[in-house]
Amino acid sequence: MKKIISLLFIGIMLSLSLPVQAELVMYNTKTGKYHSLTCPWAKKCTVNCIKIEKSEAIKKGGQPCKVCGVK
Ligand SMILES: [Zn+2]
């Protein structure tokens, strides 16, 4: 019985270590800054902002916001 439990445990650990989904950020196309989705500035930004992957925002030359500090 103990063996089954430890096998289950290993299975859970393996599934947890799978690659996580790409991080999404709110990218301001006007200022070139990107924010975490929970940043107050991201919430205020409704006109020029698009929700994209962080790597995409960096490719576009985006800079991390100084308030939320997404790196
Ligand atoms: Zn921000």
Side-chain angles (χ1 to χ4, degrees), residues 13-58:
M13 291 311 281
L14 282 174
S15 62
L16 283 177
S17 64
L18 286 173
V20 285
Q21 278 191 319
E23 192 182 345
L24 290 173
V25 293
M26 200 62 94
Y27 177 63
N28 189 321
T29 54
K30 203 174 179 184
T31 63
K33 290 219 167 87
Y34 60 86
H35 303 267
S36 95
L37 297 183
T38 52
C39 176
W41 287 101
K43 282 171 185 163
K44 275 182 205 169
C45 184
T46 52
V47 180
N48 300 306
C49 283
I50 49 170
K51 203 190 275 183
I52 55 171
E53 281 178 23
K54 192 166 76 181
S55 55
E56 274 298 306
I58 292 165

